[in-house]
Amino acid sequence: MVYYSYAWTLTLLNESSDNLINKLFEDDKFIAGVHGPKIMKIYKKYKSYGFSAIQDKPERPIFSQKVEDILNQVWKEYGNYSGVQLESIIQQEQPWINARVGFSPIDKCTKVISDKDIFDFYIQYAK
């Protein structure tokens, strides 16, 4: 869900992939993990939950109304999918596939999924 929130914010708040200045967050990048995109510090914090629901309720950041609207849309679109279902969907999408070129489906991969690939893929669905 974090990945889709980032992807749709990146896509809907920018005009082109040449100038991606509006992002959900700046510092962290998604890597193309075996089970889908992940941000290492988030992964390390919650990996002990495995496939169970995360019980932690971190403090919620304050977002602009535009971002809140996007996050609500993401929830409506993807909120009913399980983690396994989301994994399956993401593994069929070009940004994750592009970052994993040269890796087998079970190889550890720490290649970054590019913001340009994310924008160029999801903008097709935003039109």
Side-chain angles (χ1 to χ4, degrees):
M1 293 300 287
V2 174
Y3 171 75
Y4 281 123
S5 296
Y6 181 85
W8 283 106
T9 301
L10 185 74
T11 303
L12 295 173
L13 296 183
N14 290 287
E15 296 294 321
S16 78
S17 61
D18 296 327
N19 191 25
L20 298 172
I21 57 172
N22 297 306
K23 300 177 183 183
L24 187 59
F25 46 82
E26 285 289 331
D27 298 333
D28 299 307
K29 299 291 182 194
F30 287 91
I31 62 168
V34 170
H35 298 287
K38 64 183 175 183
I39 294 174
M40 287 309 296
K41 77 178 183 184
I42 294 173
Y43 171 76
K44 288 176 183 177
K45 182 174 182 175
Y46 295 107
K47 74 178 183 177
S48 64
Y49 286 95
F51 288 101
S52 301
I54 296 172
Q55 301 302 315
D56 288 355
K57 299 288 183 201
E59 189 173 317
R60 191 172 191 282
I62 297 172
F63 296 110
S64 70
Q65 188 59 51
K66 280 185 180 180
V67 172
E68 285 287 341
D69 290 344
I70 292 168
L71 297 177
N72 287 327
Q73 290 175 49
V74 168
W75 183 254
K76 282 182 191 175
E77 183 69 27
Y78 300 103
N80 290 321
Y81 290 109
S82 70
V84 172
Q85 290 169 317
L86 289 171
E87 175 181 338
S88 178
I89 294 166
I90 285 171
Q91 289 177 347
Q92 296 173 54
E93 295 178 343
Q94 212 55 50
W96 183 83
I97 292 168
N98 289 351
R100 290 198 56 90
V101 167
F103 293 87
S104 82
I106 60 170
D107 284 344
K108 179 181 179 180
C109 174
T110 58
K111 285 184 65 179
V112 170
I113 299 173
S114 83
D115 285 348
K116 181 178 180 354
D117 279 355
I118 292 170
F119 181 92
D120 289 344
F121 180 77
Y122 292 104
I123 196 66
Q124 301 170 70
Y125 301 100
K127 293 182 177 185

